[in-house]
Amino acid sequence: MKNNSLFSEFEPVLAKQWKQKIQMDLRGADYNDTLIWESLEGIKVKPFYNHEDVEANSNFQFTGEHTWQIGQIVYGGNPNLANKKALDILKRGAGALVFEISDVDMDWSALLDGIPLESIPIHIDFHTLEVGALERLQKYLGDRASKIYLHIDIIGHLAKSGNWYQNLEKDHQAFDQIQTLTATTKGISAISVDMSLYQNAGANIVQQLAYGLAHVNEYLNHSTDVVSNVTKEGITFKVAIGPNYFFEIAKLKALRWLWKSLAAEYGIETDCHILAIPSKRNKALYDYNVNMLRTTSECMSAVLGGANTVCNQSYDALYHKDNEFGERIARNQLLLLKEESYFDEAIKASEGSYYIEALTQELAQKALGLFKQLEASGGFLGELKKGIIQKKIKEAAAKEQEQFDTGKLVLLGTNTYQNPEDKMKDSLELFPFLKTDKRKTLVEPILEKRLSESLEQNRLKDE
């Protein structure tokens, strides 16, 4: 058969030939010292990639059509006000809702009234563990078509707070009841894993992936009901997106790849649902408008990495209470990406990139290796109770903090190009720093902390 390729008359260029040409252009400078840098994950990033970097491995590809939704978080303290806000933001372009629920006596009919559940995905992030609230939700939904994602993560709560909601036995009993309750209800996904905690605490990407995989494996090992529910309705990963643009794209692709590999061991064929939100770790109090640039880049990574729902973070979320202006700007950032920049159509733009495919493979392989180490040592809960996971995250966070403190990792307007006229002391509506609460815990909690906190505290004192 005749080869009609436009480039068939050219000989393929090997990596060895590219490297030789680069070395000539360097005029004596060392290739490795000058052009290769090492990431926080220990990955040596080369100046170029070609087909030789990926041809020996299978590549991750989306199967079928993949779309993403603009999500927005709504606090459900007052169901009537939350409903009014939800209906308004749906009119303004949001395509998914994330309700934060603390009230065990939630009036679901008031909260969800008028929302087209058949077309709008609903995420319900419970801050409590109460089976009765879910029974009432199930009764309200009845047989109507809907897609509900329940964010109930008892292991994630233990990791974040250091304690179970009540105790190990009662939490697992409630968890089992929830699995039984939702097993017969179509359209409710009842298994979720909050991986954002690890990123916001300073874990590197390999750790985030491995801990997320080990975290979900604890649930899959728990009971056949969990496996049955995941098989029927899938699982949700909540993921924080950091500033390393290409690495974050590869992270989400690697996560989906790793999930499929783990799910296959349990006979599960359903894909995972990824809810992505920008990281808190690199957000700054001073020169806060730069946070819009950070979140835009992070949301782009989330979309190109294959997130199903992307929730943006307001530029002033660190120090301002929820406000219409900040939320509108955050939502409009996503609308600009989706409608004006055609990111809705460019969802697969990252496929075929040698660099991203190579990163995806290396992150997945490193994470799988760490996952196997965790499982051999007793699993995620075992290592959490020993304090091993907390220790490893602290070590990774300290390494990143050192880069920030020395200026190797730059936050514009914060550790470089500071505006001495910028004053924030009188603008704080919220406490923007790590809060410590001395109390007895079963395990050492994993604490979220931003990179610029110490620097900002010193600047506030000097105002």
Side-chain angles (χ1 to χ4, degrees):
M1 181 178 290
K2 185 178 179 180
N3 188 341
N4 293 319
S5 169
L6 293 174
F7 303 102
S8 59
E9 61 185 279
F10 298 100
E11 290 293 328
V13 181
L14 302 178
K16 181 179 179 181
Q17 294 171 286
W18 277 115
K19 188 173 179 180
Q20 288 174 342
K21 174 60 177 172
I22 291 170
Q23 286 177 323
M24 289 178 58
D25 292 342
L26 286 174
R27 298 180 181 180
D30 186 81
Y31 174 86
N32 292 332
D33 293 341
T34 306
L35 298 178
I36 293 179
W37 60 275
E38 185 172 332
S39 74
L40 291 166
E41 295 75 23
I43 294 176
K44 295 185 182 298
V45 181
K46 302 186 296 183
F48 72 94
Y49 288 78
N50 72 349
H51 62 91
E52 295 176 45
D53 293 292
V54 297
E55 63 184 5
N57 300 290
S58 58
N59 295 332
F60 173 81
Q61 302 288 342
F62 288 112
T63 56
E65 198 66 28
H66 181 83
T67 59
W68 62 283
Q69 298 293 336
I70 297 173
Q72 186 164 332
I73 297 171
V74 179
Y75 178 64
N78 183 315
N80 293 301
L81 292 178
N83 175 262
K84 182 180 179 181
K85 180 176 181 178
L87 292 173
D88 179 62
I89 63 179
L90 289 176
K91 292 178 183 177
R92 293 169 179 258
L97 297 169
V98 182
F99 287 108
E100 293 188 338
I101 304 298
S102 299
D103 186 1
V104 297
D105 298 317
M106 173 56 61
D107 183 348
W108 297 109
S109 61
L111 181 69
L112 301 176
D113 182 45
I115 297 175
L117 300 178
E118 69 282 356
S119 59
I120 300 296
I122 305 293
H123 294 257
I124 302 178
D125 189 354
F126 285 94
H127 295 179
T128 60
L129 186 63
E130 176 57 48
V131 178
L134 288 176
E135 289 175 336
R136 290 190 297 276
L137 173 62
Q138 185 186 43
K139 183 178 180 180
Y140 169 78
L141 292 173
D143 296 327
R144 73 182 70 187
S146 61
K147 186 57 185 177
I148 309 292
Y149 299 92
L150 301 181
H151 291 257
I152 301 173
D153 184 4
I154 59 174
I155 295 175
H157 180 77
L158 174 67
K160 187 171 185 176
S161 69
N163 289 316
W164 300 103
Y165 284 100
Q166 298 182 64
N167 57 51
L168 185 148
E169 182 180 355
K170 289 183 178 180
D171 278 21
H172 280 79
Q173 285 178 352
F175 181 78
D176 290 339
Q177 285 180 279
I178 291 168
Q179 299 312 308
T180 302
L181 184 67
T182 56
T184 57
T185 306
K186 186 178 180 180
I188 297 183
S189 174
I191 306 294
S192 69
V193 170
D194 185 0
M195 291 173 53
S196 66
L197 172 65
Y198 311 132
Q199 201 285 337
N200 286 320
N204 63 46
I205 291 176
V206 169
Q207 290 173 327
Q208 293 170 46
L209 291 169
Y211 297 158
L213 203 63
H215 187 150
V216 71
N217 198 44
E218 292 286 348
Y219 288 132
L220 295 175
N221 275 323
H222 180 68
S223 71
T224 55
D225 283 346
V226 172
V227 175
S228 176
N229 281 355
V230 174
T231 300
K232 181 170 69 78
E233 300 292 347
I235 187 170
T236 304
F237 290 101
K238 182 181 178 182
V239 184
I241 306 299
N244 196 338
Y245 185 75
F246 293 109
F247 271 67
E248 293 294 330
I249 295 173
K251 178 176 82 175
L252 294 191
K253 290 166 74 73
L255 172 60
R256 207 175 285 277
W257 199 0
L258 289 166
W259 163 248
K260 287 191 173 184
S261 300
L262 178 63
E265 297 298 315
Y266 291 89
I268 299 171
E269 296 182 357
T270 48
D271 201 355
C272 60
H273 183 100
I274 298 176
L275 170 65
I277 188 166
S279 169
K280 302 172 188 174
R281 188 156 170 80
N282 66 327
K283 302 305 176 291
L285 182 61
Y286 287 90
D287 211 348
Y288 47 77
N289 286 320
V290 181
N291 289 333
M292 282 189 277
L293 303 178
R294 298 180 181 119
T295 55
T296 299
S297 172
E298 289 154 7
C299 288
M300 289 169 66
S301 292
V303 172
L304 295 177
N308 301 90
T309 303
V310 182
C311 288
N312 198 9
Q313 182 185 103
S314 299
Y315 72 97
D316 59 350
L318 288 179
Y319 66 94
H320 266 174
K321 296 178 181 178
D322 292 350
N323 62 89
E324 198 278 334
F325 180 78
E327 291 178 350
R328 178 165 60 86
I329 293 296
R331 185 175 59 251
N332 286 349
Q333 287 174 255
L334 292 174
L335 284 169
L336 284 169
L337 289 179
K338 194 178 184 76
E339 306 296 343
E340 302 290 337
S341 303
Y342 301 103
F343 266 57
D344 203 26
E345 299 176 10
I347 189 70
K348 297 184 179 181
S350 63
E351 291 187 358
S353 162
Y354 294 135
Y355 178 39
I356 293 175
E357 296 296 344
L359 284 180
T360 301
Q361 291 164 8
E362 193 158 3
L363 288 172
Q365 290 166 0
K366 283 179 174 288
L368 185 60
L370 180 54
F371 167 73
K372 290 178 178 178
Q373 290 178 24
L374 285 169
E375 292 302 305
S377 301
F380 182 84
L381 277 175
E383 294 295 272
L384 188 69
K385 291 173 182 176
K386 295 175 190 173
I388 301 299
I389 289 174
Q390 297 90 322
K391 179 184 176 184
K392 294 297 183 182
I393 291 177
K394 282 182 179 179
E395 290 173 354
K399 186 176 179 181
E400 186 181 29
Q401 188 69 54
E402 182 184 10
Q403 289 191 357
F404 172 81
D405 293 341
T406 58
K408 186 176 180 181
L409 192 161
V410 172
L411 291 186
L412 187 66
T414 301
N415 65 343
T416 186
Y417 297 112
Q418 293 181 1
N419 179 6
E421 303 301 319
D422 200 0
K423 308 296 181 184
M424 292 300 299
K425 184 179 290 186
D426 297 329
S427 301
L428 303 183
E429 297 176 359
L430 301 172
F431 187 71
F433 307 116
L434 174 66
K435 296 178 182 178
T436 55
D437 179 17
K438 291 185 178 180
R439 54 190 169 82
K440 186 176 181 181
T441 59
L442 293 173
V443 301
E444 179 187 351
I446 297 173
L447 302 176
E448 299 179 350
K449 186 178 181 182
R450 295 182 298 109
L451 289 166
S452 57
E453 288 196 14
S454 296
L455 186 151
E456 290 168 352
Q457 287 171 325
N458 290 331
R459 288 185 67 177
L460 285 171
K461 289 177 184 178
D462 293 337
E463 285 188 15

